[in-house]
């Protein structure tokens, strides 16, 4: 029944519960496979990423759970790794050498003119404020900078899944309704999707905000493009709370089917497999 999720945080980063609680809830809900993907360390401390010195205990804790639950669920370990710049991104040796089952590549951060790092993966109100305070209220330049980083991330590679593609759409649309319909926006999105397709990366349909904000990342209006570009997809809940491991999954699967996408990627015995979406 496509009961899988590979995007899940834990108290090693900004997840609100220990790793075991997410696993227990996934087992309780009948998931067949489940992946843990805390925020990877950045070159500086933040309140939402893991510290580098904790990475090995993260992997060790996972190994214990994988062993404990081996008869109940397939468990996998990954990281959600930021594309920050050439030196800190999924492709760097440090992340490549970690014993992970998979990696998610995401963009949460941009730099302003002075090189200051700004988190744009925030509430719409904070985004609007940051746009004014750091980016001269230039929405187009900011969106294009986000797309530029996403393109650089895909170019360098080193990951399996593109995390929440076009997540900036929601905040950008709050600042300027209709912005995603402008030709420059559509072109940037189309170029990124084409590049993801060309490189053969999987794209997640991120359901984290679906019940709160009514959108997927990427949103349903772009599913036909995903289909036409033959991009492999999977549905991930990006859960920070155990009770949300299954949040929005059914709705996303239905929306994919409605758009003519009939399969999703799932890890089976350690290999990515394209499985049909079951009713
Ligand atoms: Zn993320
Ligand atoms: Zn996440």
């Amino acid at each position: 029944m496509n009961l899988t999720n590979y995007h899940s945080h834990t108290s090693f980063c900004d997840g609100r519960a220990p790793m075991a609680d997410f696993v227990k809830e996934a087992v309780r809900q009948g998931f067949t496979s489940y992946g843990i993907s805390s925020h990877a360390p950045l070159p500086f401390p933040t309140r939402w990423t893991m510290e580098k010195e904790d990475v090995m205990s993260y992997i060790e804790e996972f190994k214990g759970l994988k062993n404990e639950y081996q008869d109940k669920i397939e468990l996998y370990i990954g990281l959600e790794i930021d594309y920050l710049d050439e030196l800190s991104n999924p492709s760097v040796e440090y992340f490549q050498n970690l014993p992970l089952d998979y990696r998610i590549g995401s963009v949460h951060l941009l730099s302003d003119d002075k090189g200051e790092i700004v988190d744009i993966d925030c509430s719409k109100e904070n985004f609007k404020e940051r746009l004014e305070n750091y980016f001269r209220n230039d929405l187009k330049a900011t969106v294009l900078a986000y797309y530029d980083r996403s393109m650089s991330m895909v170019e360098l590679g080193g990951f399996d899944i593109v995390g929440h593609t076009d997540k900036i759409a929601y905040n950008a649309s709050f600042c300027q309704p209709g912005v995603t319909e402008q030709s420059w926006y559509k072109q940037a999105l189309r170029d990124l999707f084409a590049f993801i397709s060309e490189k053969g990366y999987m794209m997640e349909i991120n359901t984290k905000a679906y019940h709160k904000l009514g959108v997927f990342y990427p949103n349903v209006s772009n599913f036909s493009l995903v289909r036409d570009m033959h991009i492999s997809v999977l549905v991930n809940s990006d859960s920070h709370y155990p009770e949300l491991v299954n949040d929005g999954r059914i709705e996303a699967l239905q929306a994919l089917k409605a758009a003519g996408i009939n399969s999703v990627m799932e890890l089976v015995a350690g290999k990515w497999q394209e499985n049909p979406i079951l009713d």
Side-chain angles (χ1 to χ4, degrees):
M1 298 301 281
N2 315 108
L3 275 154
T4 67
N5 173 41
Y6 304 103
H7 192 155
S8 179
H9 296 275
T10 70
S11 39
F12 276 95
C13 57
D14 60 349
R16 305 307 169 94
M19 201 183 282
D21 291 10
F22 289 88
V23 171
K24 279 180 206 154
E25 183 60 19
V27 169
R28 197 186 70 78
Q29 298 217 30
F31 277 62
T32 53
S33 88
Y34 197 86
I36 301 289
S37 61
S38 268
H39 288 290
L42 281 160
F44 42 83
T46 76
R47 48 164 195 82
W48 52 278
T49 53
M50 195 187 305
E51 297 297 322
K52 212 167 185 175
E53 58 262 31
D54 292 331
V55 171
M56 281 310 152
S57 22
Y58 170 73
I59 293 170
E60 282 311 307
E61 187 165 321
F62 170 77
K63 279 186 192 160
L65 288 168
K66 183 174 170 165
N67 203 28
E68 189 181 339
Y69 287 90
Q70 57 181 323
D71 299 331
K72 297 196 173 74
I73 190 170
E74 287 193 22
L75 291 177
Y76 297 97
I77 182 84
L79 278 174
E80 182 180 14
I81 309 170
D82 262 78
Y83 180 92
L84 177 66
D85 53 29
E86 294 266 318
L87 300 174
S88 185
N89 63 67
S91 76
V92 301
E93 222 181 314
Y94 171 73
F95 292 124
Q96 290 303 305
N97 288 339
L98 291 175
L100 301 170
D101 295 312
Y102 67 94
R103 292 160 188 81
I104 301 173
S106 296
V107 176
H108 306 98
L109 305 168
L110 294 181
S111 299
D112 72 2
D113 286 347
K114 300 187 199 96
E116 190 166 341
I117 293 162
V118 186
D119 187 348
I120 49 107
D121 193 78
C122 53
S123 70
K124 60 187 198 292
E125 293 83 10
N126 283 344
F127 179 84
K128 191 168 193 291
E129 214 176 278
R130 288 170 197 179
L131 186 66
E132 286 160 15
N133 294 342
Y134 294 95
F135 301 106
R136 300 181 313 276
N137 214 16
D138 190 340
L139 183 63
K140 182 176 176 181
T142 307
V143 168
L144 290 177
Y146 172 83
Y147 268 93
D148 199 49
R149 282 211 171 175
S150 303
M151 291 292 276
S152 300
M153 181 178 87
V154 174
E155 171 79 55
L156 289 177
F159 59 90
D160 306 276
I161 303 163
V162 185
H164 45 68
T165 318
D166 193 35
K167 195 172 181 187
I168 202 170
Y170 183 81
N171 283 343
S173 301
F174 171 68
C175 296
Q176 189 185 324
V179 69
T180 58
E181 291 309 307
Q182 298 203 351
S183 58
W184 61 266
Y185 195 113
K186 285 175 132 173
Q187 192 58 51
L189 181 133
R190 178 173 275 278
D191 289 347
L192 178 62
F193 279 34
F195 203 26
I196 292 168
S197 169
E198 182 195 321
K199 295 278 188 181
Y201 293 120
M202 292 176 272
M203 183 186 282
E204 71 171 4
I205 306 302
N206 185 301
T207 66
K208 184 184 171 197
Y210 185 68
H211 282 116
K212 251 184 298 170
L213 309 175
V215 288
F216 299 120
Y217 307 120
N219 206 9
V220 69
S221 54
N222 295 309
F223 285 9
S224 53
L225 196 60
V226 173
R227 177 199 63 213
D228 294 347
M229 289 188 173
H230 307 286
I231 298 170
S232 302
V233 296
L234 65 172
V235 173
N236 281 337
S237 63
D238 195 357
S239 46
H240 288 65
Y241 297 84
E243 58 270 30
L244 297 180
V245 296
N246 203 4
D247 199 52
R249 189 184 58 87
I250 300 272
E251 292 87 340
L253 290 169
Q254 283 169 350
L256 284 169
K257 271 202 136 175
I261 297 171
N262 296 307
S263 61
V264 284
M265 302 303 288
E266 297 176 4
L267 271 169
V268 180
K271 291 224 160 28
W272 289 106
Q273 229 175 57
E274 188 178 343
N275 285 349
I277 297 176
L278 303 170
D279 290 315

